[in-house]
Amino acid sequence: MTAVSTEQLSKDMQASAQKLKEAGLIPQSQDQPLNANDLLFYLTQTSMPMADLLQQHGLFLDDRGLNYDLAQFDAIGQIANKVITERQAGYLDGVWKELDLSTGEDMDSNGTYILTALAALDVLYGPPAV
């Protein structure tokens, strides 16, 4: 598992701003450069059970910064895709109920936010594209 400070994360994001935009990361404020909070938004807008699950897979924020485990991205992505699939099917009694996900106005973002964060982290810290 790797940890990156929020300051370093902001620097890395600013250096890769165009690639992050292509990966779907949208800045929370158009009048400021990308920073760690833009990425952390995608990870923190979820339920406590989902946050716990992310932490179990090595993706969480603590006093060292953002912790992540690239080897766990596939497992996290599978969960996020299941959230999206169940939402599209109108089935909210499976993973939705298990993870206590929102059924409010942000329900369409429950899985896509996680996938966007994973894509951004992969751009920043994943293996170089071949």
Side-chain angles (χ1 to χ4, degrees):
M1 184 164 20
T2 304
V4 61
S5 71
T6 54
E7 294 82 13
Q8 186 61 49
L9 180 59
S10 290
K11 289 178 187 175
D12 295 343
M13 289 175 68
Q14 289 166 10
S16 297
Q18 184 58 40
K19 289 180 181 177
L20 292 173
K21 182 178 179 182
E22 292 167 7
L25 187 78
I26 299 170
Q28 299 305 302
S29 174
Q30 296 297 327
D31 61 345
Q32 295 180 10
L34 274 176
N35 64 56
N37 290 330
D38 293 315
L39 176 60
L40 297 175
F41 170 82
Y42 288 87
L43 295 172
T44 58
Q45 299 302 308
T46 193
S47 66
M48 289 304 295
M50 176 63 105
D52 289 343
L53 183 71
L54 293 174
Q55 185 166 1
Q56 291 170 18
H57 286 284
L59 185 56
F60 60 94
L61 185 66
D62 66 10
D63 59 342
R64 297 183 317 151
L66 180 63
N67 296 266
Y68 63 92
D69 182 353
L70 290 172
Q72 293 291 315
F73 280 16
D74 283 340
I76 296 169
Q78 288 175 16
I79 295 163
N81 279 314
K82 187 171 183 179
V83 166
I84 293 167
T85 301
E86 286 189 7
R87 163 69 173 108
Q88 291 171 341
Y91 179 67
L92 304 181
D93 288 327
V95 70
W96 280 74
K97 186 178 255 184
E98 177 185 334
L99 296 175
D100 192 30
L101 294 173
S102 169
T103 55
E105 64 185 45
D106 62 340
M107 72 187 294
D108 289 328
S109 301
N110 279 305
T112 56
Y113 276 3
I114 301 299
L115 292 177
T116 300
L118 293 179
L121 288 168
D122 192 51
V123 164
L124 295 170
Y125 305 117
V130 179

